[in-house]
Amino acid sequence: MPEVAAVGITGIGSYVPDKVLTNYDLEKMVETSDEWIRERTGIRERRIVHPDQATSDLAVIAAEHALKDAGIDASEVDLIIVATATPDMLFPSTACLVQNRIGADHAGAFDLQAGCSGFVYALSVGSQFVATGKYKRVLVIGAETLSRITNWDDRTTCVLFGDGAGAVVLERVTRGRGILASCLGADGAGADILCLPAGGSRLPASEQTVAAKQHYLSMNGREVFKFAVRVTEEATRQVLQQAGLTVEDVDHLILHQANIRIMEAAAKRLGIGSDRLVVNVDRYGNTSSASIPLALSEAVVDGRIKDGDCVVMVAFGAGLTWAASAIKWGHG
Ligand code: UT7
């Protein structure tokens, strides 16, 4: 096999809309309670876009922060990957809109759709271009406006989701640092468990699909829950084995921020204490592809994640999909 370069995160940024929707606000919208939402999910509040904001607007701000953090200009970016399940429109890609807005004049751009696993998938895909020497700088963004595909009359889903974006710059790093291993998984047999039924080629948007609310996210929460705990444990063990590490080596476990109960159950099965879990689901809810880069960004900015720390990120979502990445933080 040809020698590949070590690739890592050299810049990171995030953005959430300023509008806060609390559990108490939701109590006025559907039959629910702050107590039910907190106990079953760990969520207290989430951020919601303003009517004139779309996914690309959040992605652009997160991307600009990441570029600034990396100390590079947008014109130096070779490739942009936007992981999203809520693009501005079906086409063109949100990545192209971001490319234009940030002035990344020399970059290719495409969207990657892997449900809530999108960012970790995109991290793995983007890193291949840098590892092989094809590209020097890849911008990977996870951005979502789940509030746009949420049925605000359905208490079983509307309490769960929020909007936000996170972005990273991938470049070559010193050997031994950066992404040590990654793994991707899919099981399309579970496609119906979590999906947006209408608006695609199977069920084009029509008066009937709108009347039947098929343009909103549909989910069997209990099935997703069971799947999530199982694959989170399996993917964590798999990526650690590939990286030649054990659970004892993990300094920070960043799981998809869907539900605190899923995170704690998976961490318990792995024997990883809650003190090593990075959690922000309480403040942002489930932001799908944005959840892991948002959590990573916060933990880096507040100094929890330090140079040389071992960070493991694991996501699961629609597809069904799952993905994991083990990183030795820093680029030194
Ligand atoms: O990114 C991946 C996306 N999805 C997920 O990660 C979701 C994974 N699943 C979950 O997080 C959980 O399954 C939920 C939070 C969605 C639901 O929690 P649960 O403990 O599995 O509750 P449940 O669905 O078994 O519902 C228990 C009860 C039901 O009432 P009955 O049948 O026992 O009378 C529901 O109707 O809670 C009721 N319920 C609610 N009550 C108050 C469901 N949603 C609500 C609500 N407020 N918002």
Side-chain angles (χ1 to χ4, degrees):
M1 251 183 32
E3 178 83 352
V4 293
V7 183
I9 294 171
T10 57
I12 186 159
S14 65
Y15 176 73
V16 288
D18 53 19
K19 188 176 164 197
V20 177
L21 186 74
T22 67
N23 292 349
Y24 298 108
D25 296 326
L26 282 162
E27 282 181 356
K28 295 177 201 138
M29 295 162 63
V30 286
E31 199 175 328
T32 191
S33 66
D34 169 61
E35 189 187 6
W36 189 96
I37 303 170
R38 266 190 296 108
E39 283 179 5
R40 301 282 178 139
T41 71
I43 302 167
R44 289 171 186 278
E45 59 187 40
R46 67 289 290 141
R47 301 300 180 97
I48 304 291
V49 282
H50 292 283
D52 62 346
Q53 279 179 312
T55 295
S56 65
D57 299 316
L58 312 188
V60 163
I61 300 172
E64 285 173 343
H65 289 159
L67 292 175
K68 191 169 176 225
D69 189 43
I72 65 167
D73 190 79
S75 63
E76 298 175 276
V77 173
D78 300 307
L79 179 67
I80 301 170
I81 310 176
V82 174
T84 187
T86 49
D88 285 29
M89 47 197 136
L90 268 181
F91 67 87
S93 70
T94 301
C96 283
L97 305 178
V98 172
Q99 177 270 335
N100 177 51
R101 291 263 300 278
I102 65 173
D105 300 335
H106 304 108
F110 67 93
D111 284 2
L112 188 154
Q113 222 285 56
C116 303
S117 312
F119 176 80
V120 186
Y121 255 76
L123 198 66
S124 177
V125 172
S127 69
Q128 309 305 316
F129 288 94
V130 183
T132 56
K134 169 75 177 163
Y135 291 138
K136 282 205 170 80
R137 298 177 188 94
V138 175
L139 178 61
V140 173
I141 306 167
E144 303 277 11
T145 47
L146 268 287
S147 64
R148 295 288 200 232
I149 57 164
T150 296
N151 178 356
W152 290 102
D153 294 328
D154 175 8
R155 69 173 183 174
T156 67
T157 53
C158 78
V159 302
L160 303 174
F161 300 104
D163 303 333
V168 298
V169 174
L170 298 177
E171 295 181 88
R172 280 189 175 207
V173 294
T174 308
R175 191 153 288 284
R177 293 293 162 104
I179 301 170
L180 306 175
S182 54
C183 58
L184 310 177
D187 178 9
D192 291 347
I193 292 173
L194 177 52
C195 64
L196 194 146
S201 60
R202 176 69 63 196
L203 208 53
S206 66
E207 282 179 19
Q208 287 77 14
T209 62
V210 172
K213 300 188 188 299
Q214 289 170 308
H215 57 300
Y216 291 130
L217 175 152
S218 149
M219 178 174 73
N220 180 332
R222 280 182 211 181
E223 287 304 314
V224 177
F225 193 108
K226 284 186 275 180
F227 151 78
V229 175
R230 177 173 58 78
V231 296
T232 299
E233 181 194 2
E234 286 170 9
T236 306
R237 292 198 192 282
Q238 195 182 339
V239 83
L240 286 173
Q241 191 187 17
Q242 274 179 33
L245 300 170
T246 68
V247 285
E248 280 74 41
D249 296 314
V250 179
D251 295 303
H252 310 278
L253 184 61
I254 308 186
L255 304 180
H256 172 41
Q257 306 286 307
N259 185 323
I260 190 68
R261 286 161 54 216
I262 295 175
M263 290 186 253
E264 286 177 346
K268 192 172 171 201
R269 284 186 182 199
L270 287 159
I272 294 180
S274 316
D275 55 319
R276 288 190 275 163
L277 272 180
V278 176
V279 176
N280 66 12
V281 69
D282 51 324
R283 284 171 293 128
Y284 303 127
N286 178 348
T287 57
S288 188
S289 280
S291 94
I292 286 188
L294 260 179
L296 178 67
S297 175
E298 283 196 343
V300 170
V301 169
D302 70 20
R304 248 177 304 164
I305 295 180
K306 299 179 200 65
D307 196 53
D309 280 357
C310 171
V311 180
V312 172
M313 300 180 273
V314 190
F316 57 85
L320 298 165
T321 56
W322 58 95
S325 198
I327 295 186
K328 188 79 155 170
W329 193 254
H331 38 90

